[in-house]
Amino acid sequence: MKKAFIGLALLMWFIGVHAIGNAYAQEAEGFKLTFPQETAVTAFWFPSSGVYAGGIAHTFIRVTHGAVPKVFFDGDITIAKEFNNGSDTLAGLGVKVGYKPSATDKAGFAFEPSIGVALLNNFLTDKTLAGIVKNHKVAIYGNVLLYRW
C-alpha cells in the first residue's frame, strides 16, 4: 500500500510538472527554467567502483544560462541496471550537469547525444529523505535522446 501511494504521488507530481512546464517557462538574469520532458537512453560509469550501467532517464526540469546555452543542469528520473558488478538495479532521482552539442527543442523523435556528470541514488532501497540525500553515487553519463514531449 505504501509503495502504491508513493508511486501514485510521484505520478501526480510528474503530471503536474508537465502541465506547468507546458504553460509556463521563466527567465531571469540570463537563467532559463524549462520543463523539457525528454526521455533518453542513458549509459553510466561510476568511477568510484568501476561499474557500468545502462537504462532510461526522463528529464523533467532543466536550468540553462544564456551565456552557455549548450551546458545544462537537469533533474530527472532514472531507471538503470548495472552490467558488470552484481547487477544492482538503480532507480532514483538524478541531478545532472551536462553538455549537449545540439540546441534544438523540437518535439518528437530525435538523435541528440549529451555527456556529463550525474548524482544518482536508489529510492527503492533508501526509504527516507535523509537516506536518499546521503546515499548518492557520482557517475559519468552519456545520453542519446529518444523522444521529446
Side-chain angles (χ1 to χ4, degrees):
M1 180 69 177
K2 190 174 184 180
K3 287 183 183 180
F5 177 73
I6 291 171
L8 182 60
L10 284 172
L11 179 65
M12 295 304 292
W13 181 75
F14 174 75
I15 291 169
V17 166
H18 184 67
I20 291 168
N22 286 336
Y24 175 78
Q26 178 180 350
E27 191 167 349
E29 296 184 27
F31 286 98
K32 186 174 183 182
L33 175 66
T34 57
F35 301 89
Q37 307 303 327
E38 299 174 346
T39 302
V41 173
T42 306
F44 298 98
W45 172 59
F46 298 92
S48 62
S49 61
V51 172
Y52 295 95
I56 300 286
H58 182 80
T59 302
F60 57 85
I61 190 166
R62 174 169 291 150
V63 178
T64 56
H65 192 278
V68 284
K70 295 182 179 183
V71 175
F72 55 85
F73 180 78
D74 280 352
D76 63 21
I77 297 172
T78 302
I79 297 173
K81 186 77 167 174
E82 292 180 351
F83 296 139
N84 63 335
N85 187 17
S87 297
D88 188 22
T89 299
L90 301 169
L93 302 174
V95 178
K96 297 178 179 172
V97 176
Y99 172 78
K100 183 172 74 167
S102 163
T104 64
D105 59 355
K106 296 178 184 174
F109 289 100
F111 177 78
E112 294 182 16
S114 64
I115 60 170
V117 177
L119 293 175
L120 298 171
N121 62 11
N122 188 344
F123 62 75
L124 297 178
T125 58
D126 293 319
K127 302 292 185 195
T128 65
L129 181 59
I132 290 172
V133 171
K134 205 164 123 179
N135 298 323
H136 63 274
K137 296 181 180 182
V138 176
I140 307 298
Y141 79 92
N143 273 354
V144 176
L145 182 63
L146 286 179
Y147 193 79
R148 181 178 291 117
W149 307 94

